[in-house]
Amino acid sequence: MTPEPFGARLRHAMDTRGPLCVGIDPHASLLGSWGLNDDVAGLERFTRTVVEALADRVAVLKPQSAFFERFGSRGVAVLEKAVEEARAAGALVLMDAKRGDIGSTMGAYAATYLDKDSPLFSDAVTVSPYLGFGSLRPALDAAEVSGAGVFVLALTSNPEGAEVQRATSADGRSLAQLMLDHMAAENAGATPLGSVGAVVGATLGDTGADLSINGPLLAPGIGAQGATPADLPRVFGAAVRNVVPSVSRGVLRHGPDVSGLREAAGRFADEVRTAVPES
């Protein structure tokens, strides 16, 4: 049986749960603010609390793999369990791994996150295209087979990104626009939404780019980084309905109480609904 594409599943989740994505970013400072030790036990308590609080109500949970990997195999085991439990509760899991390589190595990354038999199989994964968009082919192909998604870095919010992403390609387009055009080609004809998304920072203001890729636009930077849901229409223009606003510390700092996390996520979701038209 052909799996339902990620783009269709994401559109349904956004329409029923709201478009909010909440990151699971267990910084040492956040663990400390929750009264937890910066160790595997603290990591596990933090992660389980976030999943318990939010996995049954937000559209997407986005664990940042680096904060689990820093604890070695025991941290990765916590991540595997979080992915399993979050998906079982109905959230789509976007693994924020930002992988990028070539050939068989990219294929191994794809197998790690996009093969249904992998313990880290996720609904989608973030990848970097700056070894050339074609280097992503193993991930794109694996995602299509499993009904998963791929979010490709396009215009990131860090100031250093501009020296690469806004550089001019041989045909005069910025490199970011070249990547966005590749994404649009991958999503051509997909309904209701393609499964290849772009990562575009919500803090960028006028991006100067054509964001009509017929796919989702992950928008980090809401909350602690300074962007608000009210900024989304200005940044994303006509593509705003396909935006998945991502907030991490703005929600996570309200833990460890489950009710505090839920109330904070609910406030952000309501602000997004107010700012973004439904159609």
Side-chain angles (χ1 to χ4, degrees), residues 157-227:
S157 55
N158 63 306
E160 303 87 354
E163 67 183 78
V164 174
Q165 297 158 16
R166 295 188 183 273
T168 303
S169 64
D171 63 5
R173 288 177 289 177
S174 70
L175 290 183
Q177 187 62 61
L178 179 61
M179 298 305 162
L180 289 162
D181 291 346
H182 279 301
M183 295 176 225
E186 295 290 327
N187 289 328
T191 57
L193 193 65
S195 296
V196 179
V199 181
V200 178
T203 58
L204 293 176
D206 183 2
T207 65
D210 180 2
L211 302 176
S212 55
I213 64 168
N214 190 34
L217 301 164
L218 182 70
I222 303 291
Q225 294 185 47

Side-chain angles (χ1 to χ4, degrees), residues 122-177:
S122 303
D123 296 284
V125 64
T126 57
V127 296
S128 174
Y130 291 106
L131 287 172
F133 192 86
S135 68
L136 302 180
R137 182 51 54 192
L140 297 169
D141 290 347
E144 183 175 6
V145 169
S146 63
V150 174
F151 281 85
V152 182
L153 301 181
L155 286 161
T156 56
S157 55
N158 63 306
E160 303 87 354
E163 67 183 78
V164 174
Q165 297 158 16
R166 295 188 183 273
T168 303
S169 64
D171 63 5
R173 288 177 289 177
S174 70
L175 290 183
Q177 187 62 61

